Amino acid sequence: MSDNKRSQAITKGTQRSPNRAMLRAVGFGDKDFVKPIVGIANGFSTITPCNMGLNELATDAEEALKKAGAMPQMFGTITVSDGISMGTEGMKYSLVSREVIADSIETAVQAESMDGVITVGGCDKNMPGAMIAIARMNIPSIFVYGGTIKPGKYKGRDLTIVSAFEAVGQYIANNIDEKELLEVERHACPGAGSCGGMFTANTMSSAFEVMGMSLPYSSTMAAEDEEKRKSSIHSAEVLVNAIKNQILPRDIITRKSIENVIAVIMAVGGSTNAVLHFLAIAHAAEVEISIDDFERIRGKVPVLCDLKPSGRYVATDLHIAGGIPQVMKMLLEHNLLHGDCLTISGQTVSEILKDIPATPRKDQDVIRQWDNPLYEQGHLAILKGNLSPEGCVAKITGVKTPKITGPAMIFESEESCMAAIVARKIKPGDIVVIRYEGPKGGPGMREMLSPTAALIGEGLGDSVGLITDGRFSGGTYGMVVGHVSPEAFVGGLIALVHEGDSITIDAENRLLQLNVSEEEISSRRVKWQPPKPRYTRGVLAKYAKLVSTASTGAITDSS
């Protein structure tokens, strides 16, 4: 057991009896005081299908910890459902919840001087929130993913939550009727688990497996399958061993392991949100990683997996095809992975992958053969230019036109843009600009799944560009550029764009450019006035005051 404040307090002088008295009340006996105390940060809730199965996993882990010689202490953490709040004012709380989760886990674990922690999460922000806390505290820790949802089925095709958003656009365009829209809604989410494509939740769970903070194969298991419960039990056992051997998060979360994460995110076609979250995780772990590292690694790594949102398959298909270990082994074989990185089990990446075949099975096409990738280079590009000198994030694969120049259509919020899409005011060739939705300006950097999915549903995904200082859902695809930094609220150039201005999105040259003279830009800047904050009290007001730019991860504890 680690020599921490709790163990000192309960073994010295007058502190012994009060501490023990409190612990006896929650189930400690005389022999339990020498055992490590392990927190279980339980994200269970019925707010979202992503988290509704977590309590069973947490209680399984609790029993496993006891059998392995530890004393578990379970506590709750919050979640919000991005899918339910999408397109509403409530979505402003989504990224904020990442910080609330991180702060709450740190608070509970540090206040009770726990010796280790197992975090059990499902929905998007559960994972980066937990990992930020783990990296800050640097005590033995492991993450247990609640598992992915199984695909919905309708008319012989797989559905995900994104199918429902895209159906709205199809309905607006009169491509489907109201009955079809309702049927897609009814079938999209068949049970427990996080959104089924390689959206943000499955991207982050995959990343944690790659990084070594979760067990092999655990990131793509279905929430409702028995193997997910077994994985939770095994995770508890591995954690107790890590406590005994003092395997610490910062031994695992290193520059090399985060480079491994970036490589796999590119290979599986992961979410744009991974850029934001891993910048924040690296900051918490005091690891030097910048937004430019994503672009550097992107150029070396092919997209190997044919996964939704822009591909054909879901995470459960990837699991059957060989899972994340198969993708990792392919990258390792081609010198694109650091095999000497430590994992929570005490093994290195190379040791874990030693029995994995170098090539994927020929009877599946979820994971492509190395010489037949989906794309030659990674899909998440970092664009720069006068509109985003700090960098912004674009998904550049799966679009027919990698370069578009067109007139700006300006919207000061997501709602006003959505109203224009519903009214069919957006035309091919337009560049939609949604601003004042950044970390400070939103505040909270809402995801723009509703407008992007509606544009896809209307058939405009390849002919309309969209840029925003907000974020995108992991389910978004098309010619879209997010995380534009600096954001409009702090006077970024996106705030100075006028209706009809020419904007160029050039994915091939990684350029985001406002085609207006410097003289005109300077004239506009003199006239620009910062807007008043949208919130002056409560959590959103506090967040807006603290949060950094998206290009550093939208962190709230920068020095």
Side-chain angles (χ1 to χ4, degrees), residues 323-355:
I324 293 300
Q326 179 64 78
V327 179
M328 292 176 70
K329 184 60 175 276
M330 295 170 71
L331 295 174
L332 184 66
E333 286 289 302
H334 291 85
N335 299 314
L336 292 170
L337 215 65
H338 301 291
D340 57 345
C341 291
L342 182 68
T343 72
I344 189 63
S345 68
Q347 296 174 290
T348 65
V349 166
S350 291
E351 288 169 342
I352 284 175
L353 299 177
K354 64 181 175 64
D355 295 327

Side-chain angles (χ1 to χ4, degrees), residues 96-410:
V96 176
S97 76
R98 185 188 77 177
E99 308 308 304
V100 176
I101 291 164
D103 292 349
S104 67
I105 293 174
E106 178 188 355
T107 299
V109 172
Q110 298 291 62
E112 304 308 316
S113 301
M114 296 175 187
D115 297 295
V117 64
I118 182 168
T119 57
V120 186
C123 200
D124 294 5
K125 307 309 174 297
N126 296 181
M127 283 166 279
M131 199 57 61
I132 288 168
I134 285 168
R136 284 181 193 163
M137 298 182 299
N138 200 34
I139 62 171
S141 308
I142 195 167
F143 186 85
V144 172
Y145 181 42
T148 182
I149 196 170
K150 293 181 179 179
K153 301 287 184 180
Y154 180 63
K155 289 187 174 179
R157 61 190 177 103
D158 287 347
L159 299 182
T160 68
I161 183 59
V162 175
S163 306
F165 283 92
E166 290 179 0
V168 172
Q170 293 168 336
Y171 176 72
I172 292 168
N174 297 315
N175 293 328
I176 61 173
D177 59 19
E178 189 171 356
K179 181 179 183 297
E180 181 88 355
L181 175 63
L182 183 57
E183 288 303 314
V184 171
E185 174 202 313
R186 285 172 170 164
H187 291 87
C189 297
S194 297
C195 299
M198 191 50 69
F199 309 150
T200 302
N202 285 323
T203 299
M204 295 306 294
S205 68
S206 299
F208 289 0
E209 180 180 328
V210 173
M211 192 164 62
M213 292 301 298
S214 293
L215 297 186
Y217 296 102
S218 65
S219 66
T220 50
M221 293 174 179
E224 297 177 317
D225 286 353
E226 181 63 21
E227 65 176 346
K228 175 46 65 179
R229 293 187 63 188
K230 291 179 180 177
S231 177
S232 180
I233 292 167
H234 187 40
S235 296
E237 296 164 348
V238 167
L239 177 59
V240 172
N241 184 67
I243 293 170
K244 290 176 182 176
N245 292 288
Q246 281 301 286
I247 300 173
L248 303 178
R250 293 195 189 183
D251 300 329
I252 299 168
I253 307 171
T254 64
R255 181 175 176 84
K256 281 185 174 182
S257 71
I258 295 179
E259 287 180 340
N260 285 352
V261 164
I262 297 170
V264 173
I265 287 169
M266 297 299 174
V268 300
S271 168
T272 54
N273 284 310
V275 179
L276 191 78
H277 296 327
F278 269 94
L279 289 170
I281 291 166
H283 169 78
E286 298 184 272
V287 172
E288 290 293 328
I289 288 286
S290 78
I291 195 170
D292 295 323
D293 288 306
F294 287 83
E295 179 60 33
R296 174 178 58 83
I297 294 171
R298 181 196 73 82
K300 302 176 183 178
V301 179
V303 179
L304 296 170
C305 299
D306 190 2
L307 297 168
K308 291 179 182 292
S310 57
R312 294 179 292 166
Y313 297 105
V314 294
T316 50
D317 297 318
L318 174 61
H319 190 63
I320 294 167
I324 293 300
Q326 179 64 78
V327 179
M328 292 176 70
K329 184 60 175 276
M330 295 170 71
L331 295 174
L332 184 66
E333 286 289 302
H334 291 85
N335 299 314
L336 292 170
L337 215 65
H338 301 291
D340 57 345
C341 291
L342 182 68
T343 72
I344 189 63
S345 68
Q347 296 174 290
T348 65
V349 166
S350 291
E351 288 169 342
I352 284 175
L353 299 177
K354 64 181 175 64
D355 295 327
I356 305 295
T359 59
R361 299 195 323 266
K362 298 287 179 66
D363 64 344
Q364 58 79 44
D365 58 356
V366 182
I367 307 171
R368 303 284 281 267
Q369 300 298 319
W370 185 264
D371 60 0
N372 184 33
L374 211 60
Y375 303 100
E376 295 290 340
Q377 293 182 318
H379 64 302
L380 297 182
I382 305 303
L383 276 54
K384 292 190 176 181
N386 65 359
L387 265 172
S388 190
E390 293 179 9
C392 53
V393 186
K395 273 187 178 179
I396 65 172
T397 52
V399 293
K400 295 177 182 177
T401 310
K403 179 178 179 179
I404 182 172
T405 296
M409 292 195 68
I410 307 297

Side-chain angles (χ1 to χ4, degrees), residues 66-88:
K66 290 177 182 177
K67 289 178 181 177
M71 287 302 292
Q73 289 189 315
M74 193 182 299
F75 59 94
T77 65
I78 68 153
T79 196
V80 300
S81 172
D82 291 1
I84 295 172
S85 61
M86 197 74 70
T88 74

